[in-house]
Amino acid sequence: MTMSDPVVEDVVTTVSHSAPEIRRGLVGRRDAVDEENPSGETQVEADIWADELLADRLSSIDGVSQYASEEREAIIDCGRDAASTDGYTVAVDPLDGSSNLTSNNAMGTIIGVYDAPLPARGENLVAAAYVLYGPITTMLLATEDTVSEYELTDGNHRRIREDITLPDDPVVYGFGGRVPDWTDEFTEYARTIETELKRRYGGAMIGDVNQVLTYGGIFGYPGLESRPEGKLRLQFEGNPVGYIVEQAGGRSSNGEQSLLTVDPSDDIHERTPVFVGNESLIDRLEMQLS
Ligand code: P6P
């Protein structure tokens, strides 16, 4: 994966080369452990194992100044000047949707590479990618130039799609959260979308977002009556996936504005409502919620 910046290339290549090993390592590691992640969610053995593997490999890359993970409380200062502007920072969701291990369904690894100290605005992303552990292992990689898809096998990656853009005519939608917990405004929007598109919701954001990027449509995890901030994390899920979809010609939103323009709080685990998909669908959503 030749990229303009050698450090970013090293980060992305490290994740792509680790993905087949992570996939193999899922076997025998699906039991819950007596721990919760910083968001209060039960961890499985694979969450901790994948995080330790990626933390070790990514934080040792020269040029990476910070490593942050959905699975660990604090940001790792990689021994360089974390506040320096010349270091890149990486935010990782090591196993997005790891609860799908129990039901043997798709999961992913998400990474965002920022050129600013964490927590950072999505606009500070210089690259973002996700690995999808589906029937085959693939990586969707967005850089400042383009969006590409790779098939990952041991020690190898083969580009299977390049210059990816969202299809113009949306086909699928997937919305998280319990329907009775949706706000009235979002419920009204969802009821309209349900008459237009086909439902695709698998319980792991990356599997659902990959459907949107393949067929066109919208994925969302809205703010809920019980939790207006929603469930998904801005630094580890919203920003990187928002960056990927926007680089593919779509839009992202927290219901009001592009996720990439949201000023983060000091909390690296800050949650946000997340919507990504075709521009027309996101525009309609923001109109509905305004
Ligand atoms: P629910 C997985 O736990 C995750 O963070 C996302 O990957 C996924 O979209 C969402 O939560 C699923 O949440 O409430 O449907 O189980």
Side-chain angles (χ1 to χ4, degrees):
M1 292 178 185
T2 306
M3 302 173 74
S4 58
D5 183 293
V7 175
V8 179
E9 181 175 334
D10 198 352
V11 168
V12 173
T13 303
T14 299
V15 174
S16 71
H17 284 175
S18 300
E21 182 181 355
I22 291 173
R23 185 184 187 106
R24 283 197 303 277
L26 299 177
V27 177
R29 292 190 170 96
R30 71 179 190 179
D31 291 341
V33 297
D34 190 19
E35 302 284 337
E36 291 183 342
N37 69 12
S39 299
E41 297 160 344
T42 302
Q43 291 176 306
V44 297
E45 290 173 44
D47 283 317
I48 297 169
W49 175 77
D51 176 50
E52 287 171 355
L53 181 150
L54 291 171
D56 177 52
R57 294 177 185 176
L58 294 174
S59 59
S60 60
I61 294 173
D62 197 24
V64 171
S65 59
Q66 289 179 309
Y67 172 94
S69 160
E70 189 176 294
E71 301 306 328
R72 60 180 65 217
E73 189 64 46
I75 298 169
I76 296 176
D77 177 348
C78 306
R80 303 163 191 96
D81 177 2
S84 70
T85 55
D86 60 353
Y88 290 101
T89 57
V90 294
V92 179
D93 184 355
L95 281 182
D96 171 68
S98 58
S99 57
N100 271 0
L101 253 181
T102 307
S103 54
N104 193 28
N105 292 108
M107 304 181 326
T109 294
I110 311 172
I111 183 161
V113 186
Y114 296 85
D115 64 359
L118 295 173
R121 281 167 68 108
E123 286 173 336
N124 291 116
L125 282 163
V126 296
Y130 62 76
V131 174
L132 176 57
Y133 305 100
I136 59 174
T137 305
T138 55
M139 173 181 267
L140 240 293
L141 168 65
T143 63
E144 294 165 312
D145 309 315
T146 186
V147 181
S148 305
E149 183 179 23
Y150 297 83
E151 209 169 56
L152 305 182
T153 52
D154 273 329
N156 190 19
H157 50 262
R158 182 170 70 90
R159 188 161 57 190
I160 53 177
R161 282 199 294 167
E162 56 187 332
D163 298 331
I164 294 171
T165 57
L166 268 175
D168 291 334
D169 299 325
V171 175
V172 299
Y173 77 94
F175 297 141
R178 295 179 184 279
V179 174
D181 208 1
W182 288 351
T183 63
D184 292 343
E185 295 77 12
F186 181 70
T187 301
E188 187 172 342
Y189 175 78
R191 289 290 173 262
T192 304
I193 295 299
E194 286 169 351
T195 67
E196 300 172 14
L197 306 179
K198 291 196 294 186
R199 190 198 312 263
R200 287 287 184 276
Y201 188 80
M205 176 187 197
I206 290 311
D208 298 326
V209 168
N210 208 52
Q211 294 250 19
V212 169
L213 272 168
T214 305
Y215 301 112
I218 183 171
F219 166 83
Y221 205 110
L224 305 173
E225 294 290 0
S226 63
R227 189 162 62 178
E229 69 277 15
K231 176 181 181 183
L232 304 181
R233 276 61 43 155
L234 177 64
Q235 297 296 316
F236 306 112
E237 294 161 309
N239 277 343
V241 170
Y243 178 84
I244 291 167
V245 174
E246 292 196 11
Q247 290 301 97
R251 274 207 60 200
S252 78
S253 182
N254 63 356
E256 297 173 5
Q257 64 191 87
S258 165
L259 287 164
L260 307 186
T261 64
V262 172
D263 285 322
S265 71
D266 294 338
D267 178 5
I268 189 71
H269 299 283
E270 173 183 12
R271 298 177 192 267
T272 178
V274 170
F275 303 97
V276 291
N278 287 78
E279 182 174 7
S280 60
L281 296 174
I282 302 293
D283 290 348
R284 284 166 57 187
L285 170 82
E286 290 182 344
M287 289 287 289
Q288 180 71 48
L289 299 189
S290 63

